[in-house]
């Protein structure tokens, strides 16, 4: 199967592989495809990188104190019972008619200790599994809520100096602009963002505030197949988008769609 032809399926499999929920034969088949197909390897590495960065934000979690207390109590009881049995049973008791009884008691005590240890192991294993399941669910929630950046643009001035970084998250309909230059418009002026399509008039994507980090709401249709973004200097509050910019275009740059 050529997974790169099915990007949504590839993304889900790569996420499951990185989370560890892709098991047995499915995991082995995915690893085989990753060795043979570079896009599959890239998808797996991207998800491992995402989870690695998210995991760094997680607080370390230790088993509950009660779990260690139960383990310590059971181990102490086992040691004390063994010591009592060793004190009662002589070193050599081949002719002792009651030896079989003591051996039976010893065997039962060892069996009880083994069962108790196994029970503790099961309890600890269940607690760890529940904790791991909770961590995976939390990571999946954070990943789903994290911005899915698919479009990037660096807008430059006439001297080719970077002045504005633009990213677009189509999943959350967020267009984020970050000022990276020192330009600041006057109090009676506003910056306005424009989409410059291959044909037709420029379309306004919104008027910018004066903050260093800005957010505008936009749909993917507003930026899809738009090769260039531009920012013009307009009167306070901007101008209607139908007529295009009325002031000078200060910054301009290509809008690039990211691909796997």
């Amino acid at each position: 199967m050529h997974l790169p032809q099915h990007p949504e399926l590839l993304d889900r499999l790569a996420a499951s592989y990185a989370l560890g929920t892709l098991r047995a034969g499915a995991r082995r088949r995915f690893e085989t495809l990753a060795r043979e197909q570079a896009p599959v390897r890239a998808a797996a590495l991207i998800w491992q990188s995402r989870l690695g960065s998210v995991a760094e934000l997680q607080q370390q979690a230790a088993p509950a104190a009660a779990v260690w207390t139960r383990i310590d109590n059971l181990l102490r009881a086992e040691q004390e019972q063994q010591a009592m049995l060793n004190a009662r049973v002589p070193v050599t008791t081949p002719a002792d008619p009651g030896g079989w009884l003591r051996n039976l008691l010893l065997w039962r005590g060892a069996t009880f200790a083994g069962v108790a240890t196994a029970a503790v192991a099961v309890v600890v294993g269940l607690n760890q599994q529940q904790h791991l399941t909770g961590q995976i669910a939390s990571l999946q929630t954070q990943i789903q809520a994290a911005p899915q950046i698919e479009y990037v643009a660096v807008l430059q001035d006439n001297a080719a100096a970077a002045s504005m970084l633009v990213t677009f998250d189509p999943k959350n309909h967020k267009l984020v602009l970050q000022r990276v230059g020192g330009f600041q418009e006057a109090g009676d002026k506003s910056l306005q963002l424009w989409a410059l399509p291959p044909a037709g008039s420029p379309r306004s994507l919104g008027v910018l505030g004066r903050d260093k980090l800005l957010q505008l709401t936009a749909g993917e249709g507003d930026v899809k197949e738009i090769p260039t973004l531009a920012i013009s200097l307009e009167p306070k509050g901007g101008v209607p988008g139908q007529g295009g910019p009325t002031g000078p275009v200060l910054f301009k740059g290509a809008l690039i769609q990211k691909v796997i």
Side-chain angles (χ1 to χ4, degrees):
M1 181 178 184
H2 195 64
L3 272 179
Q5 295 180 351
H6 308 276
E8 292 185 0
L9 176 60
L10 173 58
D11 192 61
R12 289 198 298 270
L13 289 174
S16 298
Y17 179 80
L19 282 168
T21 56
L22 195 66
R23 305 263 178 97
R27 188 175 186 86
R28 290 192 294 273
R29 286 193 296 272
F30 184 85
E31 290 173 343
T32 300
L33 291 173
R35 287 192 295 269
E36 298 172 350
Q37 302 176 23
V40 179
R41 288 197 302 275
L45 289 173
I46 288 172
W47 270 102
Q48 287 171 343
S49 176
R50 288 176 179 173
L51 291 177
S53 61
V54 172
E56 291 177 358
L57 303 176
Q58 298 297 307
Q59 296 182 351
Q60 293 186 355
V67 174
W68 296 115
T69 301
R70 288 197 297 270
I71 293 175
D72 183 64
N73 290 340
L74 286 169
L75 290 176
R76 288 179 182 274
E78 180 183 353
Q79 292 173 354
E80 292 174 359
Q81 185 178 30
Q82 188 64 46
M84 292 174 62
L85 290 173
N86 290 340
R88 292 176 182 175
V89 179
V91 177
T92 57
T93 57
D96 187 354
W100 67 272
L101 179 59
R102 280 187 290 271
N103 290 337
L104 178 62
L105 292 174
L106 179 61
W107 177 81
R108 285 181 176 175
T111 301
F112 171 78
V115 171
T117 303
V120 172
V122 170
V123 171
V124 173
L126 288 174
N127 287 340
Q128 290 178 342
Q129 183 177 7
Q130 292 173 353
H131 179 66
L132 179 60
T133 301
Q135 280 188 323
I136 291 174
S138 176
L139 288 174
Q140 288 175 331
T141 300
Q142 292 184 42
I143 290 171
Q144 291 173 356
Q148 303 295 317
I149 305 302
E150 291 190 17
Y151 296 83
V152 179
V154 178
L155 307 189
Q156 301 175 330
D157 59 18
N158 292 332
S163 298
M164 192 80 69
L165 173 64
V166 183
T167 59
F168 179 62
D169 174 10
K171 177 183 175 183
N172 296 307
H173 307 289
K174 290 297 182 184
L175 196 61
V176 179
L177 299 92
Q178 181 176 356
R179 296 177 186 251
V180 294
F183 179 84
Q184 188 65 58
E185 63 274 22
D188 61 342
K189 299 290 184 179
S190 292
L191 296 180
Q192 191 161 353
L193 180 66
W194 301 88
L196 306 182
S201 302
R203 296 200 309 269
S204 175
L205 295 177
V207 178
L208 310 185
R210 300 174 62 84
D211 296 332
K212 191 174 183 63
L213 188 65
L214 311 160
Q215 284 192 358
L216 298 175
T217 300
E220 187 169 10
D222 295 327
V223 299
K224 190 174 184 181
E225 299 180 358
I226 297 296
T228 308
L229 296 179
I231 293 179
S232 66
L233 184 65
E234 304 293 347
K236 184 72 173 178
V239 297
Q242 295 82 358
T246 62
V249 174
L250 301 181
F251 316 120
K252 183 186 295 186
L255 181 64
I256 302 171
Q257 183 175 10
K258 295 173 59 179
V259 295
I260 293 179

